[in-house]
Amino acid sequence: MTTELRAPSAPVQRAMAWCGVAFCVIYGAGILIAGFIPPPSPDDNATEISQFFADNTGRIRTGTLLMMLGGATMIPFFAVLTMQMRRIQGRFDGLCLAQLLAGGIAVWVFTLPPIIFAVAAFRPGQDVNVTQALNDLGWFLFVWNLGTVTCQAIVIAVAIFSDRAEHTGDGDPVFPRWVAYLNIWVAIGFLPGALLTYFKTGIVAWDGLLAFWLAAVLFFTWILVLFWATLRAVNREARSPQAHASKTGVPA
Amino acid sequence: MSAEVEAPPKDRGSGHVPGEPGLWVFLLGDMVVFGIFFGTIMVLRGTHTEEFVSSQETLHLEWGVVNTIILLTSSLFVVIGMHLAKERNPKAPRFFLAAIVCGLMFAGVKAVEYTSLVQDDHTASVNDFYTYYFMFTGIHLGHVVLGMGALLAATRIARPTSTGTHRMAALEGIASFWHLVDLLWIMLFATLYLVR
């Protein structure tokens, strides 16, 4: 097993970490270009929704294209995050595996909604009820699909809390503990959105203050903080004496 | 909520942060979420005053008062428990246990309240007031359950025999969360039951 634990080179890991920023820029730009800020209200009728897609066909097609491609940039990011998490216990443990699984599925969580929105914008002039149903589906997949990310945030928090700084070589934990607390807040902050099936207006509707606005701010803050913490961990790993040990296949 | 918390409580002169600084990222974050709740209630009161007041009158004010007293008492137990734990007094764990009992009583009262409201057909789907009442108090009740789990850990950490370099930091973190749960309830009680 030991040779499999050899860390990838620091420059590659750094580039993978920066993919998290690339995601925020590309995906965020996609959402803005598509005109999803603010989201169409779940209270709008089928004709209004259909009109929204008919009036913004070009924007939505371009925006969703960026979102679809941007979602994939999280693949290298979650991979390097997992690589750094493995340094907490000095091996690839269950929490790393759970993080990797959640990250892999999360990429689909990011990628499916733009695909659905693109389908909704594909045939302007179609039955308004079809467009409305696709719009509903898109927003449910976008905002209600919060179980994976919530689970992922908890897994990351537990991993950081379990860090006894025994394997980093410099006596400090891999990730700062406040990042774990931020993950717990993210997990809790996403939960009110789970109630959006009951509402067409108000703070937990899919365009509401809690379900959408707070969740969106939390989400991008979460990714950027994880990026910062991961990049910092990569740089410290590169400087630590164990970096040389792990390159020769001897984990601590 | 483990006995061996890594980061030491940082003493910077008189500016001691209870628990560990990182904990406050979560505590203040949670306050933001509840701040949105309180704002929502006040906006609803302003825009749907009649519906708000008539629905509010169907709430059981006396049970709300009882629950407020229960949680305030539990916070007092936690404070006493913290003092005893600092002195490694063997009685410390039983005060955290008393706080858990208060938490269970709170949940019991809430269950009676919910049942009574539902039996009177004042369910979450009747109007926005009841929707938010059930949603916000339900999310708060989730916090109470989480807090009782943390207090259960505290009954172990508070033992005089418990080791772990940052024992008091862990206890302070749990106590801070429990006080937050108490504070949020007082705010919920004031905005949902009392404000006219």
Side-chain angles (χ1 to χ4, degrees):
Chain A
M1 279 299 285
T2 50
T3 49
E4 289 164 29
L5 282 169
R6 281 192 305 178
S9 76
V12 172
Q13 287 204 75
R14 278 188 204 106
M16 291 166 84
W18 277 99
C19 285
V21 176
F23 168 82
C24 292
V25 172
I26 300 171
Y27 205 79
I31 295 174
L32 287 172
I33 290 170
F36 292 156
I37 306 284
S41 167
D43 209 27
D44 286 351
N45 64 39
T47 314
E48 287 168 315
I49 292 297
S50 183
Q51 198 60 41
F52 171 76
F53 278 85
D55 290 346
N56 300 289
T57 307
R59 288 181 62 171
I60 292 170
R61 286 175 182 167
T62 311
T64 52
L65 172 67
L66 285 176
M67 290 166 74
M68 184 271 290
L69 290 175
T73 58
M74 288 305 271
I75 296 171
F77 177 76
F78 283 142
V80 68
L81 175 60
T82 313
M83 288 302 286
Q84 288 301 318
M85 278 174 68
R86 107 206 176 287
R87 291 175 56 228
I88 292 173
Q89 301 297 341
R91 63 193 158 81
F92 192 94
D93 65 346
L95 290 171
C96 294
L97 181 59
Q99 142 62 26
L100 194 59
L101 278 172
I105 297 163
V107 172
W108 269 110
V109 174
F110 307 146
T111 320
L112 273 177
I115 294 175
I116 306 285
F117 290 132
V119 172
F122 190 56
R123 298 183 198 278
Q126 71 189 350
D127 183 347
V128 293
N129 293 313
V130 172
T131 306
Q132 186 186 37
L134 287 170
N135 179 64
D136 287 345
L137 180 59
W139 285 101
F140 268 64
L141 284 169
F142 201 37
V143 185
W144 200 50
N145 203 347
L146 46 82
T148 337
V149 177
T150 304
C151 175
Q152 191 176 7
I154 294 169
V155 165
I156 294 170
V158 172
I160 296 175
F161 281 137
S162 73
D163 197 339
R164 297 283 166 268
E166 288 159 346
H167 304 280
T168 45
D170 55 12
D172 273 330
V174 179
F175 301 106
R177 287 176 61 87
W178 67 266
V179 176
Y181 285 110
L182 180 82
N183 273 273
I184 294 184
W185 182 37
V186 165
I188 290 182
F190 278 165
L191 282 181
L195 297 169
L196 73 81
T197 53
Y198 300 102
F199 296 91
K200 296 204 172 50
T201 57
I203 55 174
V204 292
W206 80 49
D207 65 340
L209 191 55
L210 276 184
F212 183 78
W213 296 98
L214 181 81
V217 171
L218 268 183
F219 176 76
F220 284 107
T221 307
W222 182 60
I223 298 294
L224 289 173
V225 166
L226 286 179
F227 153 74
W228 170 81
T230 306
L231 187 66
R232 178 178 169 275
V234 169
N235 287 335
R236 283 179 45 228
E237 183 188 28
R239 283 198 301 270
S240 95
Q242 283 187 344
H244 307 288
S246 75
K247 273 183 185 150
T248 54
V250 187
Chain B
M1 299 298 172
S2 137
E4 298 124 290
V5 172
E6 285 300 324
K10 296 228 164 57
D11 267 306
R12 292 195 195 96
S14 57
H16 171 69
V17 178
E20 54 179 320
L23 171 72
W24 290 84
V25 171
F26 166 63
L27 294 184
L28 294 171
D30 212 27
M31 284 189 218
V32 170
V33 175
F34 273 85
I36 294 173
F37 292 176
F38 305 138
T40 306
I41 298 169
M42 295 322 289
V43 168
L44 182 70
R45 192 199 152 275
T47 53
H48 298 73
T49 313
E50 264 179 48
E51 175 191 293
F52 187 97
V53 172
S54 64
S55 308
Q56 189 184 44
E57 279 167 1
T58 66
L59 294 186
H60 304 276
L61 181 64
E62 63 282 3
W63 288 114
V65 173
V66 167
N67 260 348
T68 306
I69 295 169
I70 288 175
L71 276 195
L72 284 171
T73 311
S74 76
S75 267
L76 181 66
F77 285 144
V78 168
V79 169
I80 298 171
M82 289 299 292
H83 277 287
L84 295 177
K86 210 169 280 178
E87 301 160 1
R88 293 198 175 266
N89 189 315
K91 283 181 186 157
R94 71 183 66 163
F95 281 91
F96 290 105
L97 199 63
I100 295 174
V101 173
C102 288
L104 288 172
M105 284 163 64
F106 179 91
V109 170
K110 215 80 219 114
V112 172
E113 253 189 294
Y114 285 159
T115 313
S116 160
L117 282 172
V118 170
Q119 277 172 350
D120 296 340
D121 289 326
H122 300 313
T123 60
S125 52
V126 171
N127 63 33
D128 283 352
F129 179 86
Y130 291 115
T131 306
Y132 289 135
Y133 169 82
F134 280 101
M135 188 163 96
F136 297 160
T137 58
I139 291 174
H140 178 267
L141 195 57
H143 279 63
V144 172
V145 172
L146 207 66
M148 287 195 290
L151 286 171
L152 196 62
T155 60
R156 296 173 61 90
I157 303 168
R159 286 176 192 165
T161 49
S162 107
T163 52
T165 35
H166 307 296
R167 173 173 171 269
M168 284 314 292
L171 285 177
E172 282 175 8
I174 293 167
S176 300
F177 181 70
W178 190 257
H179 292 322
L180 175 74
V181 170
D182 186 5
L183 174 74
L184 293 177
W185 169 256
I186 292 170
M187 291 294 295
L188 274 183
F189 174 65
T191 48
L192 283 173
Y193 291 74
L194 292 182
V195 84
R196 290 278 186 246

